[in-house]
Amino acid sequence: MQKILLIQMLAMGDLLLTTPLLAGLKTKYPDAQVHVLANSLYSRIMKPSPSVDEFIELPLTRLYELANQAEDQAVPGTLAFLAAWIEKIPHDFDLIINPCFNDMGGALGFLIRSSRLIGAALTREGYLIFRGDWPACVYTHVHGPSLNPFHLADAHCLAVGVRPLKPGLYFHLTNEELLSARQFLSTGGVSPDDRIVALHVGAGLDYRRWPEEGFIRVGRSLQEEGFRILLTGSKAELRQVTRVAQSIGPKTIVAAGRTDLGMLAGLLEHCQALASNDTGPIHLAAALGVPCVSIFLGKAQFRATGPYGTGHLVIEAGLDCAPCENPTACSHLRCREVITPEDVLAGMKHVMGEPLHRPAGSRARFRQAFISNDGWLDWKLITPDPKAGIISAYRQVWLSALDPGPEMKAPAGKLPPPPQKEPFSQFDLLSSRAVNTARMILSKLEGNALPSELQQDVQKLNQVSEKIKELGFNEELLKPMATYYVLRLAGLDSTEPIKLVRDQLNLYLKVQALVRLLAEKLS
């Protein structure tokens, strides 16, 4: 392995979640050149990293400007700019890793090209697909967030088959940034002996924002206990942050819109803890080892994007619909009301060293991060979770059956016997039919059968495939399996008929193995 490219052109937090993968790549391939292609706004995250040899800046802001022109200019202008920019990028990578689950990420992977790509790609017709077991597994969580057992940072590593030397996110803070932060705090009247807690009240999406009044009450309570309150945020969030600061009190420090990424990191480094919505600063704080309390609302999935590292706390509404699949269609957003200031305040005190005193009448779910025996991040259930057993079973099944890399491999080892209980038994029966039909087609192809001789078998296989999808999507317990199956099937696009059918056969065998393993774990 000589040259590796990571494409991650999403938000700051998404880029930080790839830092364990980058560290693991350097551990496994110490002589390889590792390149990162990401939004130019976040170059600070990667440029000082010993795991990265080159940072390739994607001018995403310019692309957005072009895309927002008049309709007759937007498409040709954007495509022309992107084509010219792509020409300047090296095209000799041995491996591309692309965890961007959108069309732009897929287009970049397709245009730069490599003999091996793991993650999002485009077909020749322009359809978004996912190469590899783990990218498909991760994307299942978009459609079934309540059964997700893995953090994105870990899934990135599992997709490639690497581990960092130590678990955690990485951010390299400079002495200059620490000094600038100290000077900023001194200007705000903060002495070296003051205890500081940070609150981040903003978020990119409305449904992820806990009400301002909640942060105000938390800030006032902590201020009364002697803490100085630091409010972080972007320039666009300055008006909101200023409102919150005025309500908390005159000694509140407003950093929103006044810091770059390095300065923000330096300020967080001086804090005892951070309370935040699910957004980028929790990942920056986690990378620095600052204890975090993160509030998860709507579709936000704490298992996938919670603060990474032992001891961090997440708070989720204790509602049957949390996390939801479509918050934009929600008519009430009760999750905002169920999590109270008392809940967040109890969480803040806990991560700063006190036992967790769950407020009387609390309807929130509290979970604390730890590194499991399997070496990946997991969450200790401080409050009961009726789906804990199912999530644990899924975690064991995915880990035992999914493979790193883009290839479609048949399951290794002996499978458990066919399950006897529904819906597993019906799903297993359909999988067996698909396996037998695919084997028949493969045998005929290897015997040089004519297309007309295969037509009936192909039709039969398509019918069984549709039944597998229908059953899987109608059963909540099997929905992640069905979604994984659909995504992997769409990603099998070889132009060689024998290889395509062989890959399909391996997929049916894999699905059968997954369902049998899950049934065994839940029996």
Side-chain angles (χ1 to χ4, degrees):
M1 194 71 68
Q2 296 179 328
K3 291 184 72 175
I4 303 171
L5 174 67
L6 169 71
I7 299 174
Q8 181 53 283
M9 29 66 67
L10 300 179
M12 175 184 78
D14 296 287
L15 189 56
L16 278 164
L17 294 184
T18 65
T19 56
L21 164 63
L22 294 167
L25 287 169
K26 274 299 185 183
T27 299
K28 188 170 184 177
Y29 307 109
D31 297 326
Q33 292 182 17
V34 177
H35 303 246
V36 175
L37 190 163
N39 189 338
S40 56
L41 295 176
Y42 307 128
S43 61
R44 168 62 189 85
I45 294 174
M46 293 297 171
K47 282 191 172 178
S49 171
S51 300
V52 178
D53 295 290
E54 182 184 4
F55 182 82
I56 303 171
E57 297 191 12
L58 176 67
L60 206 57
T61 302
R62 178 57 180 155
L63 283 173
Y64 282 134
E65 290 173 354
L66 291 168
N68 287 322
Q69 296 180 109
E71 189 173 349
D72 61 334
Q73 299 176 358
V75 173
T78 304
L79 290 178
F81 179 87
L82 190 58
W85 182 82
I86 285 287
E87 284 298 315
K88 302 175 184 178
I89 305 300
H91 285 59
D92 58 343
F93 293 103
D94 301 293
L95 171 65
I96 293 177
I97 306 163
N98 188 8
C100 303
F101 298 121
N102 59 28
D103 290 336
M104 173 65 83
L108 289 170
F110 178 83
L111 292 169
I112 296 174
R113 296 188 181 276
S114 169
S115 57
R116 292 184 85 223
L117 184 147
I118 300 171
L122 293 183
T123 64
R124 289 176 298 278
E125 296 79 18
Y127 295 106
L128 183 67
I129 58 172
F130 305 98
R131 302 199 188 281
D133 276 351
W134 285 101
C137 174
V138 167
Y139 200 72
T140 66
H141 308 149
V142 174
H143 300 279
S146 63
L147 297 182
N148 167 33
F150 292 109
H151 199 285
L152 276 178
D154 290 339
H156 296 333
C157 294
L158 287 161
V160 186
V162 300
R163 280 185 188 266
L165 288 175
K166 61 178 183 176
L169 309 185
Y170 295 78
F171 184 87
H172 301 271
L173 188 61
T174 68
N175 290 332
E176 291 79 4
E177 288 164 345
L178 271 173
L179 179 60
S180 295
R182 183 70 260 169
Q183 292 172 341
F184 179 95
L185 292 170
S186 296
T187 302
V190 180
S191 73
D193 296 328
D194 282 337
R195 296 178 299 164
I196 311 168
V197 291
L199 304 179
H200 189 89
V201 304
L205 297 170
D206 181 65
Y207 71 79
R208 294 193 181 192
R209 298 188 193 111
W210 195 47
E212 291 178 19
E213 180 59 32
F215 282 107
I216 291 168
R217 287 173 58 186
V218 170
R220 285 175 178 170
S221 296
L222 289 170
Q223 195 172 66
E224 289 170 3
E225 295 186 21
F227 289 94
R228 294 296 303 270
I229 309 301
L230 173 72
L231 296 180
T232 58
S234 66
K235 188 176 293 185
E237 295 164 338
L238 180 57
R239 181 176 298 179
Q240 177 192 17
V241 171
T242 302
R243 274 198 311 268
V244 173
Q246 290 171 344
S247 297
I248 291 175
K251 290 190 175 182
T252 306
I253 309 149
V254 175
R258 302 171 65 188
T259 64
D260 57 19
L261 194 54
M263 169 74 86
L264 175 60
L267 291 174
L268 291 173
E269 179 75 9
H270 286 86
C271 294
Q272 314 314 120
L274 164 70
S276 173
N277 297 308
D278 173 37
T279 189
I282 64 166
H283 304 303
L284 185 58
L288 297 166
V290 178
C292 296
V293 173
S294 191
I295 304 160
F296 275 72
L297 305 168
K299 194 175 182 178
Q301 307 166 40
F302 74 90
R303 292 185 184 276
T305 60
Y308 195 108
T310 298
H312 300 302
L313 196 73
V314 296
I315 305 177
E316 183 183 55
L319 298 170
D320 292 339
C321 56
C324 67
E325 293 189 21
N326 186 12
T328 57
C330 180
S331 60
H332 53 76
L333 291 176
R334 280 198 299 270
C335 51
R336 295 179 174 185
E337 302 166 7
V338 168
I339 299 173
T340 66
E342 290 74 22
D343 291 324
V344 176
L345 189 60
M348 288 290 278
K349 291 181 178 180
H350 180 59
V351 298
M352 290 190 287
E354 295 185 15
L356 180 65
H357 297 294
R358 192 178 184 206
S362 172
R363 297 172 59 201
R365 298 172 187 152
F366 294 82
R367 295 178 177 86
Q368 194 155 28
F370 72 101
I371 302 300
S372 176
N373 291 335
D374 57 31
W376 307 109
L377 191 77
D378 205 346
W379 299 88
K380 180 168 58 180
L381 304 171
I382 299 177
T383 50
D385 184 347
K387 294 183 177 178
I390 301 173
I391 292 170
S392 176
Y394 257 112
R395 183 182 180 97
Q396 296 173 60
V397 167
W398 292 129
L399 283 173
S400 63
L402 301 190
D403 300 297
E407 297 81 11
M408 188 69 249
K409 302 174 185 176
K414 186 178 179 180
L415 291 183
Q420 301 301 311
K421 292 183 178 181
E422 295 288 3
F424 304 108
S425 57
Q426 181 63 19
F427 202 97
D428 183 76
L429 179 62
L430 291 171
S431 300
S432 296
R433 288 178 184 171
V435 166
N436 293 333
T437 306
R439 281 175 172 159
M440 188 181 301
I441 295 171
L442 184 61
S443 175
K444 290 181 178 181
L445 280 172
E446 291 172 339
N448 296 314
L450 297 173
S452 59
E453 298 175 286
L454 300 171
Q455 187 174 356
Q456 189 173 355
D457 293 325
V458 170
Q459 186 178 8
K460 180 181 176 182
L461 185 60
N462 289 338
Q463 290 171 346
V464 175
S465 178
E466 287 303 313
K467 289 180 180 178
I468 290 173
K469 295 178 194 176
E470 183 180 358
L471 175 61
F473 285 124
N474 285 335
E475 296 285 347
E476 183 185 5
L477 197 58
L478 293 174
K479 194 173 181 181
M481 299 289 191
T483 308
Y484 162 83
Y485 165 68
V486 169
L487 291 169
R488 283 301 262 148
L489 187 63
L492 304 180
D493 62 345
S494 174
T495 56
E496 301 174 19
I498 289 180
K499 183 180 186 310
L500 180 60
V501 176
R502 187 176 290 120
D503 284 344
Q504 288 178 337
L505 172 59
N506 288 339
L507 176 59
Y508 295 126
L509 289 167
K510 179 69 67 69
V511 169
Q512 186 178 57
L514 288 168
V515 173
R516 289 190 181 185
L517 287 167
L518 183 64
E520 181 183 58
K521 298 294 181 187
L522 293 174
S523 62

